Each structure stands twice: as C-alpha cells, then as structure tokens.
Amino acid sequence: MVNILLVDDQPSRLLSYEAVLAELGENLVRAGSGREALARLMEMEFAVILLDVNMPDLDGFETASMIHQHPRHEKTPIIFVTAVHITDLDRLRGYHLGAVDYVFVPVVPEILRSKVSVLCELYRQRRELERLNRSLEKTNADLADANAALQAEKANELHALNQVLERTNRELAGTNATLQAEIAERRRAEERLRDADRRKDEFLATLAHELRNPLAPIRNALQLLRTGSPEVTGGALTVMERQLRQLVRLIDDLLDVARITRGKLEMRKRQIVLRTVLDDAIAAVRPVIDDARQTLEADLEAADVEVDADPERLTQVFANLLNNACKYSPPEARLSISARCEDGRAVVLVRDEGIGIPAPQLEQIFDLFVQADTSLERARGGLGIGLTLVRQLVHMHGGSVAAESAGGGLGSTFTVQLPLSAARPIGDTRSGEAIPAAQSSAMPSARRRVMVIDDNRDAADSLSMALRLSSHEVRVVYDPLKAREACALFRPEIVFMDVGMPGMNGYDLVRLLRGEPWAERALIIALTGWGQETDRQRSREAGFDHHLVKPADFEEIEMLCNAERREGGGVASGVAHG
Ligand code: ADP
C-alpha cells in the first residue's frame, strides 16, 4: 500500500476524492491547505499528490514549488485539480513546477482513478527499482569486497609464489655457479692431467736419452781398454768413472723422487751447523765447476748457525742447485753461494750468470719433469727432477725455495730459506762428524781372505779383481748352494754377498753361514740394490754386519776389508753401519 496526499481547502471535495480513490485500496491522507500538505510531507513519503490549484493562503502552484524544493519530494508526481479553465501559460507554469497532469472539476471518477492508479503503479515500480538497485549495489559492493579479498589473496599467493620462485632462482643460480666452478675445476684437472701426461711422455723420452747417453762413452772406453794400451787406460777409466757417476746420480735422484712421492723417504734429522752442509755440497760439485773452468765465490760467514736437518739430504739440495748453476752457465762463468740470517731463518742464495729462466717458467720448474727447454737441441742433460727434489727436501726441513731471474740470458738466483734450530747451540759439529772414508785411508792396509758370493758373474769377477788388485786373497762362488762348502774350506775373514740369488737368497745363506765356526769372527757384508732403512734392518736381523747399496763405492769396500774383525757376534768398531 502506498500513500496518496489529497490537498484541498474544501472538505466536500476531499470527501469526493476519497470516495473515488477508495477503490484503489491505498492509504489516503488529507490536507486542508498548502501548509498542512507540507506538514504531512514532512512526516511521510507519497506516491502521488492531488493538489487543488485554487486555495487561499498558499495556492496550488506555490505549494507545488515548495514541495519540489525539498530533495525528498522533488520527483513526487503532482496532479493539479482546477475548477476553472486555466490558460496554457498557467498549465506550462504548472508543468515547470513539476506537475505531471491536470484534472478538471467536475472530476470524472474513472479518469482520476486511472491517473492516480498509473502514478501509484509507477511509484511502486520506482520503489521496486530502487530496492533492486540497492540490492544490486549491495551485491556489487559485496562483489567488490569479494573481489578485493580475492585480489588480496591472489596478490598474497602471487607474492608467496614470487618469493618461492626467487628463492628457487637464487638456489638455481647457486647450483649453477657451483656447477660452473666444478666444470671449470674439472677442466683444469683435465688440463693438468693432460699436462702431466705430456710431461710423463717427455720424461720417458728424456729418461731413455739420459740413460743411453753415458753408455756410449762407457762402451768406447771399454773398447779402448781392450786394446791393452797403457797410454789410453787412464783416460778410459776416468771417462767410465765419470759416466758411471752420472748414471748413479740419475738413478739415485729417480729413486728419491719415487720415495718422496710415496712418502717413504726417511729423514735422519739432527742439529747441525749449516756451513758443514754447504761446504760438503761445494766439495761435491767442485769437479764439474773446475771442468767448466768456472769460478765459485762463497760467502758463508753467516752460515755458522745451527739447523735441524738431515745433513745428507740438505747437502743434496745445495749440490743440486750448484750443479744447475754450473750446468746452465757458460764456461768460465762466475757462480756464487752466500748465506745470511734474518728473522730466525737462514737464507742461502745460489747465483749464476747463465741462461736464466723466462718469467712464466719460474714457478713451474719446481714441478716434476718440467724443463724450461725441451727442444731436441737442448745442450744440457737432465731429467727435470732435480728441482722437484730440492723443493720437496726443503719443505721436509720446514723451509722454502724460490727462483728469480731477470729473464733469458740474464742469470738465475735460487733462494733457500730454512728455520734455525731452536735447540741449544752445539759445539763444533764438524769435529764430531767423523767421515769413515777419511778414517779408512789412515788405516794400514792388510791382506785379507775375502769370499765373494754373487750369481752375477760380471759383478762377482769385477769385484774380486779389484780386491785382488788391493792384494787380498779372493775366492768367488757363483752358486749360493755351493757357498757353505767353499767357505768351510777357505775360512774367509770377510764375505761380500749378493742378496737376490737363485736357489737361495742372501738372507737365508747368511743365517746358514753364521752357524759355521769360521763365521764367528768373519765380517759378512750384503751387497744389494735395495737401500731402504727396512732393507738394512732386514740385513741386520738376518746376520749381516753391513749393508752396501750397489754400485758400492770401492773405497767403502776397501775400508771394510781393513776394518777390525768381528768380536764374538758384535760389529767391529769404527765402521759406520751401511
Ligand atoms: P734438469 O736440470 O735435470 O732439467 P731440474 O729439475 O734440476 O732438472 O731443473 C728443471 C729446469 O729448470 C731445467 O731443465 C732448466 O730449464 C731450469 N733450471 C734449473 N736451474 C737453472 C739455472 N740455474 N739456470 C737456468 N735454468 C735453470
């Protein structure tokens, strides 16, 4: 039900309107004047207003104007009721004021009813539309809210997803970088392997060359010896000795490198005076320096300091460096070795004015088998292991070694740094370090009964010949199984015995011989290619008095022949074991 406002100053007309409109079943509200109408409008909303034009006080037009000024009612349709015939101008005015229609008195009930009914219906529809609008707006707002929530949720999800993606990306980048690094490392490793392989091939070629090199002069010298001519004998022997020394050195170096690589090199460190080592190294290379008519300046005042070292190994270090200085310098060049102390370290410099070392190779030359010049025209021999040995030995002494050179042709300097000994200073070590060879030469030479047991006939014969030349009485046995009997007959004072022999090895044989009465005071000496401390130990345990590594120095052999004899199972004094 909607509200209909009936405005007329005549109650009878109001009554008639009510009668006409009652049928519509709407709520009819009366107002007797314009003012009362305005009052009603303040109270409620109307679907349509039936407004009398001619009223005292406020007439219909004025009332309509005031009604439509109010925002709530500006759209409320007004039907003007007028008794008199009005002009078109007035009618227009009415339309301007918001009138939607006119009815004339006397009112035709059906017309009034249908007009009001239409407007009521319109009002209802408008209301419905408004309601729908509102609900639509609400739905819209709800939708907007839902949308916003969805957007927010989506944004959150997106953000989270983004973060996950970023993290994954970062992880991927990390993995990628690691992979790249691994690939690079692998490439470098492959490169190193290829390099090592190439160097190994070069080394094998060089080794074959270096081993074959001394053989030619030895064979030539042999040829000369065979002529029996006394003029050439001396020279031939010198050649053979020199070449042999060269071969032995080569093989020693090789064995040392192999031992160091397998971590098997034994160091016998003790507190020594550095200078003794430097003097020994100089003495060792003196012959080659003299051969090349080079001069060596030594400034070793500062080397009278103690270091903890294996003297033999440290001598090897400086002999190698001096040997290189000599080898890589022209004849008559000046070489130098000098020492100084700084910051608790001894610093030894070996200088030459030779071919020098190109800068890119300064580091590499310490690597195994690396040689700065690998061309076929290379004038100097060598295997590229000397400096590897130097570096490893120096490291084993807690020191460091470095090479410097101003470049090709400008000479080289090798600097070795060694920590000084922290222990209490020692006295004059040199007087304490007896050199067995020196002792032996002072000893009177005696004629001994010497037995040589070796299945290698050349080795046995050459040794026995040398011993005979030294006026010893010598017997040779090639077959170890016949040794016991031969010894029982000959009763040797000294026995030189090979260890690796077919039929019976030296260890078993010496055990067997030790049970014989003649052997009680005899010196039995092992002659073998094995020189490790474990080998020496094994010899001692088997019953050998000494252990000589082939090729044994003849001076050492001679010294043992001159040593005092065994005293009831003990080792003769004055002779270093091995
Ligand atoms: P080798 O002398 O047997 O080749 P080393 O390991 O002693 O092996 O030396 C490696 C390389 O370092 C040599 O081949 C040589 O190129 C270079 N080298 C070593 N010492 C010197 C030096 N004093 N002057 C110039 N080059 C040197």
Side-chain angles (χ1 to χ4, degrees):
M1 194 197 286
V2 299
N3 304 320
I4 300 169
L5 183 59
L6 310 171
V7 191
D8 206 313
D9 58 322
Q10 294 178 39
S12 62
R13 279 215 254 161
L14 283 174
L15 268 175
S16 80
Y17 298 152
E18 280 175 346
V20 171
L21 298 175
E23 192 176 307
L24 295 179
E26 311 290 1
N27 180 32
L28 305 173
V29 180
R30 311 166 154 219
S33 67
R35 286 186 199 287
E36 202 188 334
L38 291 176
R40 294 288 89 78
L41 279 160
M42 289 301 111
E43 293 161 5
M44 60 182 89
E45 200 177 320
F46 292 93
V48 53
I49 302 168
L50 202 64
L51 184 54
D52 183 20
V53 174
N54 290 307
M55 287 187 297
D57 196 4
L58 277 178
D59 73 8
F61 292 134
E62 286 164 331
T63 309
S65 158
M66 288 176 80
I67 290 172
H68 280 173
Q69 271 167 25
H70 196 288
R72 185 143 63 108
H73 307 300
E74 78 185 330
K75 292 238 166 55
T76 311
I78 298 173
I79 300 173
F80 280 118
V81 182
T82 175
V84 287
H85 186 71
I86 55 162
T87 64
D88 282 347
L89 214 65
D90 270 346
R91 195 185 283 232
L92 202 66
R93 188 178 157 215
Y95 285 130
H96 276 302
L97 288 171
V100 295
D101 214 344
Y102 282 87
V103 288
F104 300 99
V105 178
V107 169
V108 182
E110 286 76 21
I111 291 179
L112 179 63
R113 211 168 24 242
S114 71
K115 282 186 176 178
V116 170
S117 162
V118 166
L119 289 175
C120 283
E121 195 47 42
L122 266 174
Y123 175 78
R124 252 191 218 96
Q125 282 179 6
R126 207 179 78 219
R127 289 289 297 273
E128 179 58 18
L129 248 159
E130 275 170 6
R131 198 187 57 78
L132 272 174
N133 245 358
R134 271 198 305 279
S135 109
L136 250 170
E137 267 169 19
K138 191 175 168 307
T139 316
N140 261 355
D142 287 353
L143 264 172
D145 283 353
N147 203 17
L150 211 79
Q151 295 277 2
E153 199 176 315
K154 278 266 141 54
N156 275 347
E157 274 176 21
L158 219 78
H159 183 67
L161 205 74
N162 251 354
Q163 276 182 335
V164 172
L165 266 172
E166 271 172 22
R167 204 175 46 238
T168 317
N169 258 356
R170 271 199 303 276
E171 283 169 8
L172 261 172
T175 317
N176 205 13
T178 318
L179 260 171
Q180 295 283 1
E182 271 174 21
I183 289 173
E185 178 48 39
R186 196 159 297 170
R187 282 218 187 97
R188 278 197 294 275
E190 274 170 19
E191 190 51 46
R192 281 199 296 272
L193 264 177
R194 265 198 297 278
D195 199 43
D197 199 46
R198 188 180 44 71
R199 275 195 276 138
K200 188 203 70 194
D201 288 345
E202 275 174 16
F203 163 75
L204 285 177
T206 318
L207 179 63
H209 174 262
E210 290 300 310
L211 288 177
R212 207 172 290 137
N213 246 357
L215 295 182
I218 290 176
R219 184 185 279 164
N220 296 341
L222 270 174
Q223 204 63 35
L224 286 175
L225 284 180
R226 200 162 279 144
T227 64
S229 148
E231 301 98 75
V232 295
T233 313
L237 286 176
T238 314
V239 166
M240 285 174 81
E241 246 168 29
R242 195 168 41 233
Q243 296 303 324
L244 202 70
R245 242 201 326 272
Q246 169 82 358
L247 266 176
V248 169
R249 228 197 80 175
L250 221 98
I251 289 165
D252 278 350
D253 277 0
L254 265 177
L255 287 176
D256 280 348
V257 168
R259 276 186 208 123
I260 292 180
T261 317
R262 300 202 324 266
K264 290 259 167 75
L265 189 88
E266 288 149 19
M267 295 282 266
R268 287 182 222 162
K269 281 196 201 169
R270 59 196 163 88
Q271 200 182 16
I272 55 160
V273 173
L274 176 62
R275 179 148 190 177
T276 57
V277 157
L278 299 177
D279 284 344
D280 287 351
I282 293 172
V285 293
R286 179 62 73 190
V288 278
I289 292 178
D290 290 347
D291 264 3
R293 299 182 309 283
Q294 293 167 333
T295 49
L296 173 66
E297 278 166 30
D299 175 10
L300 301 178
E301 290 283 300
D304 280 320
V305 288
E306 280 94 30
V307 288
D308 292 316
D310 179 329
E312 213 172 289
R313 294 308 182 180
L314 211 52
T315 304
Q316 199 178 352
V317 164
F318 293 106
N320 266 342
L321 292 178
L322 284 168
N323 204 54
N324 277 352
C326 163
K327 183 160 87 170
Y328 295 105
S329 298
E332 294 173 22
R334 274 182 318 174
L335 322 176
S336 77
I337 180 165
S338 61
R340 62 169 194 268
C341 281
E342 53 186 38
D343 305 331
R345 295 174 86 77
V347 183
V348 181
L349 280 85
V350 178
R351 279 210 182 87
D352 65 63
E353 28 183 59
I355 62 168
I357 302 161
Q361 269 144 354
L362 279 174
E363 259 301 306
Q364 293 165 12
I365 50 168
F366 292 99
D367 291 344
L368 196 55
F369 310 146
V370 168
Q371 296 182 308
D373 177 8
T374 51
S375 63
L376 265 181
E377 296 74 31
R378 203 163 66 96
R380 303 155 181 89
L383 288 174
I385 53 181
L387 287 183
T388 309
L389 264 180
V390 165
R391 184 173 60 183
Q392 287 171 330
L393 290 174
V394 168
H395 283 177
M396 288 167 92
H397 281 90
S400 65
V401 58
E404 282 168 70
S405 173
L410 295 170
S412 316
T413 303
F414 285 80
T415 309
V416 176
Q417 297 208 27
L418 292 166
L420 292 178
S421 171
R424 207 165 35 82
I426 46 175
D428 183 6
T429 342
R430 287 205 265 180
S431 60
E433 272 177 39
I435 304 166
Q439 262 186 6
S440 76
S441 56
M443 269 182 222
S445 182
R447 184 179 156 85
R448 302 275 197 213
R449 277 196 313 283
V450 186
M451 174 67 92
V452 176
I453 309 171
D454 196 331
D455 63 305
N456 182 330
R457 286 171 183 258
D458 285 346
D461 291 347
S462 55
L463 178 58
S464 68
M465 260 151 57
L467 288 166
R468 276 190 196 110
L469 277 176
S470 298
S471 9
H472 298 297
E473 191 187 345
V474 188
R475 293 280 186 283
V476 180
V477 176
Y478 305 125
D479 182 355
L481 299 174
K482 296 190 178 142
R484 187 181 178 184
E485 200 185 330
C487 285
L489 283 173
F490 183 53
R491 302 182 66 80
E493 296 163 277
I494 296 164
V495 179
F496 287 101
M497 191 195 297
D498 185 24
V499 172
M501 289 182 291
M504 182 181 282
N505 68 40
Y507 300 130
D508 292 340
L509 184 55
V510 74
R511 271 188 217 106
L512 191 72
L513 298 187
R514 275 288 177 224
E516 302 284 309
W518 59 266
E520 199 176 312
R521 291 200 62 220
L523 275 185
I524 308 185
I525 298 146
L527 263 176
T528 158
W530 307 107
Q532 294 270 86
E533 181 50 35
T534 46
D535 303 315
R536 296 173 191 277
Q537 175 78 23
R538 209 171 153 197
S539 297
R540 259 196 298 274
E541 283 165 9
F544 283 112
D545 297 306
H546 294 280
H547 180 112
L548 294 184
V549 180
K550 286 181 183 176
D553 187 11
F554 193 73
E555 263 195 34
E556 217 170 342
I557 291 177
E558 183 63 353
M559 178 189 77
L560 288 171
C561 290
N562 289 329
E564 278 172 39
R565 298 191 54 200
R566 222 169 182 263
E567 286 188 21
V571 177
S573 61
V575 179
H577 199 280

